[in-house]
Amino acid sequence: MGDGPESRWVKPTFLDDPAREAGMYSDVLSRLGLGTAECYAAGDDWLLLERIHGRDLRQIGDVDTWVTTARWIRRFHDSAAELLEDVVGGLRVQKAG
């Protein structure tokens, strides 16, 4: 595999936008009320996030914890679907204008 453009994984342009992650915290996660970390501030290439105390899920062997986490992920996806469409649609309109 070479270094040319044909050998690279090509991502949509919006995925390379540094403001994308900050927008996710401010425009999506903060509205869902699912207990995600709060974003206190953001710059061009940084985020200041609330510190969440705990262990990585991969360090926990209890199956019930994994099941609870899977249910949380499902709630996140269910509750975020419509909101994400609204936000992404708004971003497309802003960039086109």
Side-chain angles (χ1 to χ4, degrees):
M1 203 180 240
D3 290 342
E6 67 280 350
S7 68
R8 287 191 293 164
W9 181 63
V10 179
K11 295 191 278 187
T13 307
F14 77 91
L15 290 178
D16 288 326
D17 181 358
R20 184 173 139 253
E21 189 172 5
M24 200 53 191
Y25 278 96
S26 64
D27 298 333
V28 178
L29 297 175
S30 66
R31 296 180 188 185
L32 296 178
L34 294 174
T36 55
E38 184 176 344
C39 182
Y40 297 121
D44 291 338
D45 59 357
W46 58 270
L47 296 172
L48 179 60
L49 299 176
E50 172 186 15
R51 183 180 176 118
I52 303 295
H53 296 280
R55 296 185 313 184
D56 289 344
L57 184 59
R58 65 182 173 190
Q59 297 174 343
I60 300 172
D62 179 40
V63 173
D64 289 337
T65 301
W66 283 78
V67 170
T68 300
T69 301
R71 288 183 179 137
W72 183 93
I73 292 168
R74 181 179 179 180
R75 280 195 321 272
F76 168 77
H77 283 277
D78 289 347
S79 62
E82 286 185 34
L83 182 58
L84 284 171
E85 276 302 312
D86 291 344
V87 170
V88 169
L91 291 174
R92 286 188 192 128
V93 169
Q94 288 176 10
K95 287 186 179 200

